[in-house]
Amino acid sequence: MSKGTTRTGTALTETTRIHNIGYRNYDGARLGRAYARRSLFAQSLRGAYGLGRSARSKVLPMILFAVMCVPAAIVVAVAVTTKMKELPLDYTRYAIVTQAVIALFLAAQAPQSVSRDLRFKTVPLYFSRPIERVDYVLAKFGAMASALFVLTAAPLLILYIGSLLAKMDFADQTKGFAQGLVSVALLSLLFGGLGLVMAALTPRRGFGVAAVIATLTITYGAVSTVQAIAYETGSEGAVEWLGLFSPVTLIDGVQTAFLGASSSFPGGQGPGTGTGVVYLLAVLALIAGSYGVLMRRYRKVGL
């Protein structure tokens, strides 16, 4: 309803008009928090590979995905051609060997997932209704871990299919494949949580990229160097404990202790079952701690 005036000679006459602008009640289903959480998860997972975004956004993640899969395809081709009885690379070793590619993928996509929301101050819009802080964190955490799992499990699947085509022992290959999937699932949760924490600390994407690379790559280089020094100086007992200070060596230690993997530690001597329990507890603590830090971070920026 609006009011206006018309001039008739010197007199002002007040008129009233009613405008129907089409408002009506919404009678559809209220999808609620669960639907919003699933939608945010799916959107974030697709965004990690550039799906639903510009062509330019697809280039890097797709290249890195191809870089992860091509070596596995080459190994399969060689194994089938030469009729090998075993794969030259264990399933549990593949992610450790290609950890630089995984770190680059995480460094590129973790800031994309959370830093832009912080930079453009869209987080409060998510929390307005119906989504809550826990939904946002779970969706982002789950999407990043799932994106990493796709990246790391795809080459293992190629290796497994290739081993069956080469008529290798079905039971041995299935066991190795299952162990590899457990390893990369744990790696995806650990790396995904740490990557999101580093990225969420700053709205600047460049700083987030540098922080993720430093967390994964620099710590691995430093720990590996110190382990090598300890081994060469006769302090072999310290090697396995030094592995607790890098995400990559943590995963290496867990799979060596519990999944029958060979170790990349100096001398090839990874932690035993007793020390492996400490490794596993450290990994689980870091995953839970990453979730807790993200919850605390979004308590401050979102509300």
Side-chain angles (χ1 to χ4, degrees), residues 227-242 265-267 269-271:
Q227 283 181 318
I229 294 173
Y231 181 78
E232 293 297 330
T233 56
S235 302
E236 291 87 352
V239 170
E240 61 183 18
W241 296 107
L242 289 170
F265 289 4
Q269 297 296 321

Side-chain angles (χ1 to χ4, degrees), residues 10-290:
T10 59
L12 293 176
T13 304
E14 186 176 42
T15 61
T16 301
R17 297 183 180 87
I18 298 176
H19 301 279
N20 181 7
I21 59 177
Y23 287 132
R24 60 182 178 179
N25 293 331
Y26 174 72
D27 297 324
R30 302 288 180 177
L31 299 178
R33 287 174 56 191
Y35 178 81
R37 184 170 56 246
R38 289 195 302 270
S39 298
L40 182 58
F41 168 83
Q43 179 192 35
S44 300
L45 177 56
R46 285 166 51 84
Y49 287 94
L51 303 178
R53 300 168 60 200
S54 65
R56 181 181 177 183
S57 300
K58 297 178 177 65
V59 174
L60 182 59
M62 291 305 176
I63 288 177
L64 293 176
F65 183 81
V67 170
M68 284 291 293
C69 293
V70 167
I74 293 174
V75 169
V76 165
V78 172
V80 172
T81 303
T82 60
K83 298 181 180 180
M84 292 182 176
K85 299 301 182 182
E86 294 182 356
L87 290 171
L89 183 64
D90 293 339
Y91 295 97
T92 50
R93 295 292 306 154
Y94 198 91
I96 301 299
V97 172
T98 58
Q99 45 114 348
V101 181
I102 300 171
L104 286 176
F105 180 89
L106 182 61
Q109 301 310 317
Q112 182 276 136
S113 181
V114 295
S115 294
R116 292 191 305 170
D117 290 341
L118 296 172
R119 183 176 181 182
F120 297 110
K121 302 184 186 304
T122 57
V123 176
L125 298 179
Y126 283 110
F127 296 162
S128 58
R129 198 178 67 177
I131 200 170
E132 296 183 5
R133 184 176 65 253
V134 63
D135 301 313
Y136 182 88
V137 172
L138 284 175
K140 291 293 184 177
F141 200 136
M144 194 72 258
S146 297
L148 288 173
F149 183 75
V150 170
L151 181 75
T152 53
L156 301 189
L157 181 60
I158 294 173
L159 289 175
Y160 181 62
I161 294 174
S163 69
L164 298 183
L165 291 175
K167 298 181 180 180
M168 298 180 186
D169 186 78
F170 176 79
D172 287 345
Q173 295 304 315
T174 302
K175 179 181 178 181
F177 179 56
Q179 291 173 334
L181 289 181
V182 172
S183 175
V184 297
L186 200 58
L187 179 147
S188 299
L189 287 170
L190 177 61
F191 283 24
L194 292 176
L196 287 181
V197 167
M198 295 298 105
L201 292 178
T202 173
R204 299 288 185 178
R205 183 175 181 178
F207 292 160
V209 170
V212 172
I213 291 177
T215 300
L216 298 181
T217 305
I218 295 179
T219 57
Y220 175 70
V223 168
S224 297
T225 301
V226 177
Q227 283 181 318
I229 294 173
Y231 181 78
E232 293 297 330
T233 56
S235 302
E236 291 87 352
V239 170
E240 61 183 18
W241 296 107
L242 289 170
L244 292 168
F245 297 97
S246 166
V248 178
T249 52
L250 275 173
I251 296 298
D252 191 308
V254 170
Q255 65 181 19
T256 300
F258 300 108
L259 299 176
S262 58
S263 178
S264 61
F265 289 4
Q269 297 296 321
T273 304
T275 310
V277 172
V278 179
Y279 272 71
L280 180 59
L281 290 176
V283 170
L284 296 178
L286 283 173
I287 294 172
S290 298

